[in-house]
Amino acid sequence: AFDSYIILFYLAIYERNIILLRLELAGAFHIDTLRRVFTECVIPYIIKHFKKDPVGASKKDDDMKKETADGRLTSEANLEEYDTFDDYIEILIQFGYVTLFASAYPLASFIAIGANLIEIRADIWKLGHLFRRVTPVRANNIGMWKMVLKCFAWFSAVSNLIIFAFTSSQLREWLPDYYIIDEVSGRTVPKASSAEQILLVILVIEHLALLFALSVKNAIPSAPENVRVEIQKRLWLHDEVATNARNLSVQKSSSEVTSLSQSMRLLGRPKLK
């Protein structure tokens, strides 16, 4: 997924052209959204609609109109199996566009909301018509994708500060004495003597932003209080049921041994110890 951001990092770090970066980001973001809807829904629907079934083609027209339950299950079983990897990687790329370059294109987050609403409906239709029915599996979270999204979120603090200080003119408006106008390119660039001060400002802002994020993360619990209480109740109930089951099993085993000993004593055999 990182290759989707190479040209963007090139424009942000090497070219340091905020206008080209914003245009490239907007174009890539919008085209990627349209591509996802077109390739995941439109093209598969067209292929499915015009694909001829060699078995069904030999049937009569009146038999084709009658669709039994067995025939429907058979047709659904022949559909392609759904894989979550493609959907996860697309959401990951979109999340990178929104977070890594937020200071260059703030409108991306609002466009992503609308695109995801369309994507939700498109995925519902896709799962209902183009893929085999998915078997539900219980899971605690989304697995490794959760860690990848966290890495993107933390790294976005650094990438946006680089854009803030060197690509855009935002820091120049705050600290105009640290910048000069390049006579060749006509762009505003940092002074060679002010590079250390600019880096120090970036480090201070970066540490403050990460400290604020960690404070918010620790202040807000991952689960509400009522949810934690309910989980503890269920764990306690599970332990109680397991303990009662073990005690009942031990009592049952003891009673069976006692009954067997009594039966053998009645038959004149030695008592079991």
Side-chain angles (χ1 to χ4, degrees), residues 80-249:
E80 184 181 355
E81 186 176 359
Y82 174 68
D83 187 11
T84 59
F85 179 81
D86 293 336
D87 288 338
Y88 272 120
I89 201 69
E90 289 174 354
I91 294 298
L92 181 66
I93 293 174
Q94 183 195 69
F95 185 76
Y97 286 146
V98 174
T99 56
L100 296 176
F101 308 95
S103 59
Y105 191 47
L107 190 61
S109 57
F110 297 98
I111 298 177
I113 295 175
N116 288 334
L117 292 177
I118 299 175
E119 186 77 11
I120 289 172
R121 305 305 302 179
D123 286 343
I124 292 174
W125 182 87
K126 178 179 66 176
L127 292 174
H129 295 82
L130 302 180
F131 289 94
R132 193 185 312 167
R133 184 174 299 178
V134 181
T135 302
V137 179
R138 179 177 293 181
N140 293 328
N141 49 46
I142 59 177
M144 66 172 185
W145 300 104
K146 182 179 180 180
M147 181 60 64
V148 176
L149 291 174
K150 284 184 176 180
C151 293
F152 269 57
W154 290 112
F155 184 72
S156 64
V158 179
S159 63
N160 283 283
L161 281 174
I162 293 175
I163 297 174
F164 171 73
F166 298 104
T167 307
S168 67
S169 59
Q170 297 173 354
L171 186 59
R172 182 193 62 186
E173 296 178 357
W174 290 10
L175 304 173
D177 296 335
Y178 290 171
Y179 293 85
I180 60 173
I181 299 177
D182 189 4
E183 298 179 355
V184 178
S185 61
R187 294 183 302 175
T188 303
V189 295
K191 292 180 180 179
S193 58
S194 304
E196 296 180 358
Q197 289 84 349
I198 294 176
L199 290 176
L200 180 61
V201 171
I202 293 176
L203 288 176
V204 170
I205 297 176
E206 183 259 345
H207 280 70
L208 291 177
L210 294 181
L211 181 62
F212 176 76
L214 290 174
S215 302
V216 173
K217 181 177 181 296
N218 295 327
I220 300 177
S222 58
E225 181 66 24
N226 58 341
V227 175
R228 293 201 301 270
V229 172
E230 186 65 26
I231 291 176
Q232 292 176 358
K233 288 181 180 179
R234 293 190 179 187
L235 291 176
W236 176 84
L237 181 61
H238 181 271
D239 293 339
E240 288 293 320
V241 172
T243 302
N244 294 334
R246 286 194 297 267
N247 295 335
L248 182 62
S249 178

Side-chain angles (χ1 to χ4, degrees), residues 249-267:
S249 178
V250 172
Q251 294 175 2
K252 185 177 180 181
S253 300
S254 301
S255 62
E256 289 179 354
V257 171
T258 304
S259 300
L260 182 59
S261 300
Q262 293 176 356
S263 299
M264 295 182 70
R265 186 172 61 251
L266 293 175
L267 293 175

Side-chain angles (χ1 to χ4, degrees), residues 14-128:
Y14 185 78
E15 292 291 339
R16 291 184 298 187
N17 192 324
I18 189 63
I19 298 177
L20 291 179
L21 176 61
R22 187 177 293 115
L23 292 176
E24 184 69 25
L25 179 61
F29 186 77
H30 297 161
I31 292 174
D32 182 70
T33 302
L34 295 176
R35 178 196 60 80
R36 284 160 46 192
V37 176
F38 187 76
T39 56
E40 292 182 6
C41 297
V42 178
I43 293 180
Y45 176 78
I46 294 175
I47 294 175
K48 180 184 177 182
H49 183 71
F50 290 99
K51 184 178 180 181
K52 294 182 179 180
D53 187 0
V55 178
S58 60
K59 295 181 180 180
K60 295 181 180 180
D61 294 338
D62 54 352
D63 293 335
M64 291 290 292
K65 295 179 181 179
K66 298 179 181 179
E67 184 181 10
T68 61
D70 295 337
R72 182 175 181 180
L73 292 177
T74 302
S75 62
E76 290 183 358
N78 294 329
L79 294 176
E80 184 181 355
E81 186 176 359
Y82 174 68
D83 187 11
T84 59
F85 179 81
D86 293 336
D87 288 338
Y88 272 120
I89 201 69
E90 289 174 354
I91 294 298
L92 181 66
I93 293 174
Q94 183 195 69
F95 185 76
Y97 286 146
V98 174
T99 56
L100 296 176
F101 308 95
S103 59
Y105 191 47
L107 190 61
S109 57
F110 297 98
I111 298 177
I113 295 175
N116 288 334
L117 292 177
I118 299 175
E119 186 77 11
I120 289 172
R121 305 305 302 179
D123 286 343
I124 292 174
W125 182 87
K126 178 179 66 176
L127 292 174

